[in-house]
């Protein structure tokens, strides 16, 4: 009568998927578990990433008693009762106790302090599970006695393995139901479960009941949609639609339409698009279509990409939305793109250049004797920090590559370059 997610919980390390960084041969976690002499630890990771499963396996491999407490309901009294039971067990038959403390970050200082003696003298093996940074949430004295292991969102490939295993397993899974699953339904399920293995199996169980209820042997996308409680967006991540939608997104941002940009953004996110792909496109757009028109475009896009890597989805949807709205609202300029093209063309078609003597490095002994740096004028010694000297190779006539637009901050750059051009006797910038 147990839920599918509980029935399909791995019973050995070999059955665990998606946690290769902890379970590959030679990994510290695996070595500790298989040795039969594990240590107290903290498992830090998102929901459904295997923390409870790993804890049970620790107890199983060392033949220990397995006890659970939830920090949301247990108090100091319950902790002391577990410690007393662990001492009796150890004294009577030498059997150790693994205490799995879910949401350990919710324990107060006094509750955490009550665990210290048992952890320190080895009465029990404490495994704390948390979704929060343990260095902020767990007392230093207790944290110093625990080994930290990270779990991560389970990959779509690993979730696919779990779903297929649950569908075919006739003892613990749904194998006796003789159900199959449409490819589109499988893709929808694993791509919309945010790397949560438990969530995938819970949704699969509901979808299976829905398929049976309508007399069908096949789980369809509609069943998954109902099981997840939201509409499944039809989106082909590998086909033409993938490229068409990202194109519409970029062109909407470039065209300064934040509302259309958000529409395409969430069509992609709800359709299971890789958010890192979107973040990369925003980074490119920040320089390609905005450039110096707004100095904050690239930092905002980079910050969103960094936030995505740190926070993960779905919460990083805030940061992608933030960046999209900002970039769409920025003044636009393709001056960076145009300057790249002109400079690249000059290099490809121009002569082989040499570095003028006055621009060569002088950071070594003997540079002066061969004329390196001779004639160079230090700009900071001159008014306005601008010097009428050549910075191009002698074989190349000075050319204008960069022409800032009058938009946004580039208007200020444009005015600044006008003064620089006057001193350097550079002409034609506004004409290109």
């Amino acid at each position: 009568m147990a839920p599918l997610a509980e029935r399909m919980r791995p019973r050995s390390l070999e059955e665990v998927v998606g946690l290769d960084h902890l379970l590959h041969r030679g990994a510290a976690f695996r070595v500790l578990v298989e040795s039969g002499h594990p240590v107290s630890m903290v498992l830090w990771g998102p929901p459904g990433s295997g923390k409870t499963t790993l804890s049970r396996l620790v107890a199983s491999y060392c033949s220990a008693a397995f006890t659970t407490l939830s920090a949301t309901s247990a108090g100091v009294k319950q902790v002391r009762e577990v410690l007393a039971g662990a001492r009796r067990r150890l004294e009577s038959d030498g059997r150790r106790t693994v205490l799995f403390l879910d949401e350990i970050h919710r324990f107060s200082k006094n509750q955490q302090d009550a665990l210290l003696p048992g952890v320190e003298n080895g009465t029990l093996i404490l495994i704390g599970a948390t979704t929060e940074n343990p260095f902020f949430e767990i007392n230093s004295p207790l944290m110093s006695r625990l080994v930290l292991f990270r779990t991560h969102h389970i990959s779509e490939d690993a979730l696919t393995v779990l779903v297929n295993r649950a569908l075919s397993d006739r003892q613990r899974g749904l194998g006796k139901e003789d159900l199959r699953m449409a490819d589109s339904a499988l893709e929808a399920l694993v791509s919309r479960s945010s790397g949560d293995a438990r969530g995938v199996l819970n949704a699969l169980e509901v979808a299976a009941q829905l398929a049976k209820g309508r007399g069908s042997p096949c789980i369809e996308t509609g069943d998954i949609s109902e099981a997840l409680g939201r509409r499944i967006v039809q989106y082909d991540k590998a086909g033409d639609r993938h490229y068409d939608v990202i194109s519409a997104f970029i062109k909407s941002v470039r065209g300064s339409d934040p509302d259309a940009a958000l529409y395409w953004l969430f069509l992609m996110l709800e359709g299971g698009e890789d958010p890192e792909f979107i973040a990369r496109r925003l980074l490119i757009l920040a320089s390609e279509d905005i450039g110096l028109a707004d100095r904050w475009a690239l930092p905002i896009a980079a910050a969103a990409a960094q936030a995505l890597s740190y926070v993960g989805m779905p919460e990083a949807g805030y940061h992608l939305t933030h960046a999209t709205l900002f970039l769409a609202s920025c003044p636009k300029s393709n001056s960076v793109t145009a300057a790249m093209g002109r400079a690249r063309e000059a290099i490809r078609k121009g002569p082989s250049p040499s570095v003028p003597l006055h621009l060569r490095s002088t950071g070594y002994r003997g540079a002066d004797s061969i004329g390196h740096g001779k004639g160079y004028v230090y700009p900071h010694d001159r008014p306005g920090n601008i010097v009428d000297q050549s910075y191009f190779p002698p074989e190349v006539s000075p050319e204008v590559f960069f022409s800032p637009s009058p938009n946004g901050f580039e208007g200020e750059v444009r005015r600044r370059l006008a003064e620089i051009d006057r001193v350097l006797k550079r002409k034609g910038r506004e004409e290109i």
Side-chain angles (χ1 to χ4, degrees):
M1 299 301 295
L4 178 64
E6 184 63 29
R7 302 200 307 270
M8 293 302 300
R9 191 181 297 279
R11 297 177 179 177
S12 68
L13 295 179
E14 285 68 28
E15 287 188 11
V16 178
V17 297
L19 296 174
D20 294 344
H21 65 293
L22 295 179
L23 299 179
H24 68 80
R25 293 294 175 183
F29 182 86
R30 183 170 193 135
V31 170
L32 286 172
V33 174
E34 292 185 331
S35 72
H37 300 285
V39 296
S40 292
M41 64 185 72
V42 175
L43 298 176
W44 173 23
S49 59
K51 298 186 292 295
T52 304
T53 291
L54 294 178
S55 301
R56 289 182 178 275
L57 290 175
V58 169
S60 174
Y61 274 71
C62 68
S63 300
F66 186 75
T67 303
T68 65
L69 287 178
S70 174
T72 59
S73 57
V76 173
K77 178 183 177 183
Q78 285 79 14
V79 170
R80 289 175 177 163
E81 289 174 352
V82 170
L83 286 172
R87 279 193 296 270
R88 289 193 300 270
R89 196 174 291 113
L90 198 59
E91 292 168 359
S92 63
D93 57 12
R95 192 181 183 203
R96 302 191 70 185
T97 300
V98 168
L99 169 60
F100 176 64
L101 182 55
D102 198 16
E103 298 188 89
I104 189 174
H105 59 276
R106 295 183 181 272
F107 250 21
S108 68
K109 181 181 184 302
N110 289 339
Q111 290 169 316
Q112 292 184 29
D113 286 345
L115 291 165
L116 270 175
V119 173
E120 194 165 30
N121 62 29
T123 299
L124 57 74
I125 301 162
L126 171 65
I127 302 181
T130 180
T131 57
E132 306 293 333
N133 188 327
F135 293 103
F136 297 150
E137 306 295 342
I138 300 178
N139 294 344
S140 295
L142 180 58
M143 191 66 201
S144 67
R145 291 161 173 82
L146 305 174
V147 178
L148 174 64
F149 293 104
R150 298 276 316 255
T151 62
H152 304 292
H153 292 290
I154 307 301
S155 70
E156 291 186 13
D157 287 343
L159 292 177
T160 299
V161 171
L162 286 180
V163 171
N164 287 330
R165 183 186 294 171
L167 285 171
S168 61
D169 191 312
R170 301 184 69 84
Q171 298 300 317
R172 294 185 285 161
L174 303 172
K176 292 181 180 180
E177 308 290 345
D178 291 323
L179 290 169
R180 65 181 187 276
M181 195 170 194
D183 291 342
S184 59
L186 177 59
E187 180 183 355
L189 175 60
V190 300
S191 66
R192 289 158 179 79
S193 297
S194 302
D196 184 338
R198 181 172 54 248
V200 160
L201 293 177
N202 286 340
L204 174 63
E205 187 169 27
V206 173
Q209 292 300 319
L210 293 173
K212 288 171 56 182
R214 57 186 176 79
S216 173
C218 183
I219 300 172
E220 302 286 358
T221 304
D223 301 317
I224 299 299
S225 178
E226 290 292 326
L228 294 175
R230 61 181 184 271
R231 176 175 172 263
I232 297 299
V233 177
Q234 296 300 321
Y235 180 80
D236 182 2
K237 291 188 289 184
D240 291 342
R241 187 169 172 80
H242 161 82
Y243 297 103
D244 288 341
V245 173
I246 193 64
S247 175
F249 172 65
I250 294 300
K251 289 173 180 175
S252 297
V253 176
R254 181 186 296 142
S256 301
D257 188 334
D259 305 297
L262 281 189
Y263 177 87
W264 296 116
L265 171 65
F266 279 92
L267 178 64
M268 290 187 288
L269 292 179
E270 290 296 306
E273 180 60 81
D274 180 2
E276 291 187 2
F277 171 70
I278 300 172
R280 288 193 295 270
R281 294 304 310 172
L282 288 172
L283 278 167
I284 295 167
L285 181 145
S287 291
E288 180 183 10
D289 294 304
I290 298 170
L292 300 183
D294 194 308
R295 292 169 290 178
W296 283 100
L298 184 56
I300 290 290
Q306 184 179 19
L308 172 61
S309 67
Y310 184 74
V311 176
M313 294 298 291
E315 289 83 357
Y318 289 112
H319 310 105
L320 293 174
T321 300
H322 181 156
T324 297
L325 290 174
F326 185 87
L327 297 185
S329 304
C330 282
K332 303 300 187 295
S333 171
N334 69 343
S335 63
V336 170
T337 304
M340 285 172 57
R342 295 181 190 114
R344 186 178 288 119
E345 188 72 7
I347 295 298
R348 290 174 177 173
K349 293 186 176 181
S352 179
S354 61
V355 179
L357 288 176
H358 69 287
L359 296 183
R360 294 189 184 186
S361 171
T362 59
Y364 57 93
R365 188 170 57 186
D368 291 344
S369 64
I370 56 176
H372 286 196
K374 184 177 180 179
Y376 174 68
V377 181
Y378 191 51
H380 294 290
D381 292 337
R382 295 298 178 88
N385 309 115
I386 308 170
V387 177
D388 182 13
Q389 61 185 347
S390 177
Y391 296 98
F392 273 85
E395 303 85 358
V396 177
S397 298
E399 294 186 54
V400 171
F401 300 132
F402 177 49
S403 180
S405 74
N407 302 330
F409 178 68
E410 282 197 6
E412 296 181 36
V413 175
R414 189 184 182 97
R415 290 187 288 273
R416 167 71 176 161
L417 284 178
E419 175 61 18
I420 295 172
D421 288 344
R422 185 187 64 78
V423 176
L424 296 182
K425 302 180 178 62
R426 195 72 47 80
K427 296 181 179 180
R429 188 173 305 277
E430 294 186 7
E431 286 77 28
I432 65 172

